[in-house]
Amino acid sequence: MKILVVEDDKSVLNLITTTLKIHQYNFVSAMSGTEAVSLCASHAPDLILLDLGLPDMDGMEVIKTVRTWSNAVIIIISARGEDADKIAALDAGADDYITKPFSIDELLARIRAAQRRMTFVSSESVESPVFINGNLKINYASNLVYVNEEEVHLTAIEYKLLCLLAKNAGKVLTHSYIIRKIWGNEMETDIVSLRVYMTALRKKLRKDPAEEDMIRTHIGIGYQMLKK
Ligand code: CA
């Protein structure tokens, strides 16, 4: 797993990179948004640890730019702890959020959880290379999703959610089951964030407004992919 660390504060950057070194993670680091985008293009990291307050551009811009081509897991590390900031970052395509000041243990737990999610998706791929349900097609081998033969661009988390629902098509999955499967037991992802991801995912899958959504919401319980 390749990690890109983006942080303009030298002391925080040192803390993160020293931790990664000790735990033998493979990483590169950037101290500006421009450098981050260019390293992301040249190194294709699997995971990006991203500070939002950068000298040349806002971290939100970095997420939006990188998301147009990269499926990397993006974990925000920011002093902005408001719910609105978190939701905006998750909406823009980030996968997780750590508020400064953070502990080393927390950082490592989030990285491990990200790793598990990557393994989770790749182990899914072995079972059946292509999933088809109505107008939806998932090619697990290439991580590509199509609706009516048209490619749909999903973020890493949206893709994992879709794979989880697809694997359990017809079954109702509870909020806590989904959160546990996607984020792992160490995570404190809440139902509000899950709802944000699901709303974004459903919007991307909906091609014909007249047609019933393939993903059904069971209020207070969870979500279900309908078998078509
Ligand atoms: Ca900063």
Side-chain angles (χ1 to χ4, degrees), residues 7-9 51-54 100:
E7 174 62 74
D8 65 317
D9 182 328
D51 175 30
L52 288 184
L54 296 169
K100 287 178 187 170

Side-chain angles (χ1 to χ4, degrees), residues 43-85:
H43 282 68
D46 305 294
L47 170 67
I48 304 172
L49 300 174
L50 177 67
D51 175 30
L52 288 184
L54 296 169
D56 56 337
M57 64 168 100
D58 193 278
M60 295 290 291
E61 289 307 311
V62 177
I63 304 175
K64 285 174 196 160
T65 309
V66 161
R67 267 294 169 251
T68 58
W69 83 85
S70 170
N71 269 334
V73 172
I74 301 178
I75 302 180
I76 301 298
I77 301 183
S78 175
R80 301 178 201 164
E82 299 293 319
D83 278 357
D85 294 317

Side-chain angles (χ1 to χ4, degrees), residues 6 30 36 39-40 52 60 63 86 98 123 138 142 146 148 154 161 163 191 213:
V6 188
L39 277 181
C40 191
L52 288 184
M60 295 290 291
I63 304 175
K86 292 185 187 175
I98 302 176
S123 66
I138 307 171
S142 59
Y146 303 86
N148 294 336
L154 301 181
L161 281 170
C163 290
I191 292 175
D213 270 8

Side-chain angles (χ1 to χ4, degrees), residues 4 7 24 34 36 40 103 143 163 165 167 180 197 201 205:
L4 168 63
E7 174 62 74
Q24 297 175 334
T34 321
C40 191
S103 74
N143 292 352
C163 290
L165 287 162
K167 194 190 157 209
R180 203 168 58 239
Y197 292 122
L201 174 61
L205 297 179

